[in-house]
């Protein structure tokens, strides 16, 4: 039985976050139901919707999906009892914590190896055991756990890009309306009413699903004269500059997460070999 292999996920040197290509939704797979509630701003990776949302985000960023994301739900794993599946999920979360720090300490590695050995020895190793499927499942859980932050920052970048577009459109509309007031004094009433718009400053997420909620601008106050309209335009220009700064910071955070994700994949390759070798050693020992 060969050791499962993890290939580089193909992270690009730079990501054009201003474009969001349309990506077809990946096929639904067998999922493990866990009652743990999702965190704010992050999809619940144990739900079908959450997994597919994160996978679409990775594809939007131009990343090749790691092989274990699509091959972890084998028939062998699907037929495991719930308690055994929950144990695999917990091992995946431990592996995620091990890789999220950026370095694997000997103590943390030994702890994971010990828990993995206990898990494998507790299964029916005298019968058929697909070690590769078990290892891939643990790695998939660890990878998806670490990818939640990447998905969050990608959503944040998308929010600011959309917001900049909305503010620019409103700014153009307001300037066009101001051009119709040529020759009027600042205190003169507008030739026609103009309602200012209130724009969100931060992305908000649904507590139940973790999905980013719509952030359309809302009508605010009715502007009465030319001076109020000029002030509104000036505020929009300042807001646009501020959003540009926020978008740049969010993009830097996303780039950092992309680099971290690449490091995570490299570390998972070593964890994969360790888990596989440990499982095979236990099986040989019991079988001898």
């Amino acid at each position: 039985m060969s050791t499962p292999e993890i290939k580089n996920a193909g992270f690009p040197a730079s990501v054009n976050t201003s474009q969001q290509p349309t990506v077809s939704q990946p096929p639904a797979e067998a999922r493990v139901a866990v009652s743990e509630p999702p965190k704010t701003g992050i999809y619940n990776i144990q739900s079908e919707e959450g997994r597919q949302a994160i996978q679409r985000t990775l594809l939007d960023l131009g990343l090749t999906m790691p092989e274990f994301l699509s091959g972890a739900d084998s028939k062998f794993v699907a037929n495991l009892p719930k308690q055994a599946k929950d144990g695999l999920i917990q091992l995946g979360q431990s592996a995620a914590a091990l890789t999220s720090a950026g370095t694997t300490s000997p103590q943390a590695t030994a702890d994971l190896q010990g828990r993995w050995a206990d898990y494998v020895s507790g299964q029916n190793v005298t019968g058929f055991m697909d070690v590769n499927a078990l290892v891939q499942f643990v790695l998939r859980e660890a990878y998806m756990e670490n990818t939640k932050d990447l998905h969050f920052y990608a959503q944040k970048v998308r929010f600011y890009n959309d917001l900049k577009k909305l503010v620019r459109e409103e700014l153009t509309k307001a300037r066009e309306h101001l051009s119709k007031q040529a020759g009027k004094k600042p205190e003169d009433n507008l030739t026609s009413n103009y309602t200012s718009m209130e724009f969100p400053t931060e992305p908000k997420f649904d507590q139940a699903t973790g999905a980013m909620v719509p952030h359309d601008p809302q009508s605010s106050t009715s502007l009465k004269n030319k001076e109020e309209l000029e002030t509104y335009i000036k505020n929009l220009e300042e807001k646009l500059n501020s959003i540009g700064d926020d978008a740049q910071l969010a993009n830097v955070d996303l780039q950092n997460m992309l680099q971290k994700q690449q490091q995570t994949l490299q570390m998972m390759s070593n964890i994969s070999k360790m888990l596989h070798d440990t499982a095979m050693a236990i099986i040989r020992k019991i079988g001898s």
Side-chain angles (χ1 to χ4, degrees):
M1 187 177 297
S2 60
T3 303
E5 178 183 359
I6 302 178
K7 296 184 178 180
N8 189 290
F11 292 98
S14 61
V15 179
N16 183 1
T17 53
S18 62
Q19 296 180 352
Q20 303 296 337
T22 302
V23 180
S24 57
Q25 182 169 315
E29 301 174 280
R31 307 297 177 187
V32 179
V34 175
S35 58
E36 179 184 358
K39 299 178 181 179
T40 302
I42 302 175
Y43 272 97
N44 180 3
I45 64 170
Q46 303 305 338
S47 70
E48 180 177 334
E49 179 191 32
R51 289 189 187 278
Q52 292 182 359
I54 291 178
Q55 290 180 9
R56 285 197 301 271
T57 298
L58 293 176
L59 293 174
D60 284 349
L61 294 174
L63 307 183
T64 303
M65 302 298 290
E67 292 181 352
F68 56 78
L69 283 184
S70 59
D73 287 320
S74 67
K75 291 183 178 179
F76 175 77
V77 174
N79 291 329
L80 289 175
K82 183 180 184 301
Q83 184 176 1
K85 289 181 182 178
D86 290 345
L88 284 177
I89 293 175
Q90 292 174 3
L91 285 166
Q93 292 172 346
S94 297
L98 188 65
T99 58
S100 63
T103 57
T104 53
S105 66
Q107 179 62 38
T109 302
D111 179 67
L112 176 62
Q113 189 173 13
R115 293 178 58 191
W116 171 250
D118 292 340
Y119 178 87
V120 174
S121 61
Q123 305 304 309
N124 183 20
V125 296
T126 57
F128 171 73
M129 175 176 285
D130 191 342
V131 174
N132 282 347
L134 293 177
V135 172
Q136 286 183 345
F137 189 94
V138 171
L139 293 178
R140 197 270 302 278
E141 292 300 312
Y143 182 82
M144 295 297 283
E145 186 74 23
N146 285 338
T147 305
K148 292 191 298 184
D149 288 340
L150 178 63
H151 178 266
F152 172 75
Y153 286 115
Q155 289 281 79
K156 202 169 183 179
V157 169
R158 179 176 298 178
F159 165 80
Y160 286 120
N161 286 336
D162 291 344
L163 187 58
K164 283 193 295 184
K165 180 181 178 182
L166 293 173
V167 174
R168 287 195 189 102
E169 291 175 351
E170 174 62 16
L171 188 56
T172 299
K173 181 181 176 182
R175 285 170 175 166
E176 290 176 351
H177 199 79
L178 179 62
S179 66
K180 299 177 182 179
Q181 317 305 318
K184 287 182 173 291
K185 297 179 181 180
E187 64 274 13
D188 289 343
N189 292 334
L190 300 176
T191 54
S192 60
N193 294 333
Y194 193 93
T195 302
S196 63
M197 305 299 291
E198 186 70 25
F199 293 87
T201 56
E202 290 285 340
K204 294 183 179 180
F205 299 86
D206 187 276
Q207 290 283 353
T209 65
M212 186 167 61
V213 299
H215 45 271
D216 297 329
Q218 303 295 322
S219 299
S220 181
T221 58
S222 179
L223 304 180
K224 299 178 180 180
N225 53 47
K226 183 179 179 181
E227 183 179 13
E228 290 183 356
L229 180 57
E230 289 175 338
T231 301
Y232 175 62
I233 291 175
K234 182 180 179 181
N235 291 338
L236 285 177
E237 292 172 343
E238 293 175 352
K239 181 181 291 291
L240 187 60
N241 291 332
S242 177
I243 294 172
D245 293 339
D246 291 337
Q248 186 175 2
L249 291 175
N251 188 58
V252 170
D253 289 336
L254 178 59
Q255 295 291 340
N256 290 336
M257 287 305 304
L258 287 171
Q259 294 178 2
K260 181 179 178 182
Q261 203 68 9
Q262 189 174 26
Q263 294 173 355
T264 297
L265 283 173
Q266 294 171 352
M267 295 173 65
M268 282 186 176
S269 180
N270 297 330
I271 293 177
S272 170
K273 185 177 187 307
M274 181 264 291
L275 295 178
H276 183 272
D277 291 347
T278 300
M280 294 306 299
I282 293 173
I283 292 174
R284 293 190 192 99
K285 182 177 180 180
I286 296 179
S288 60

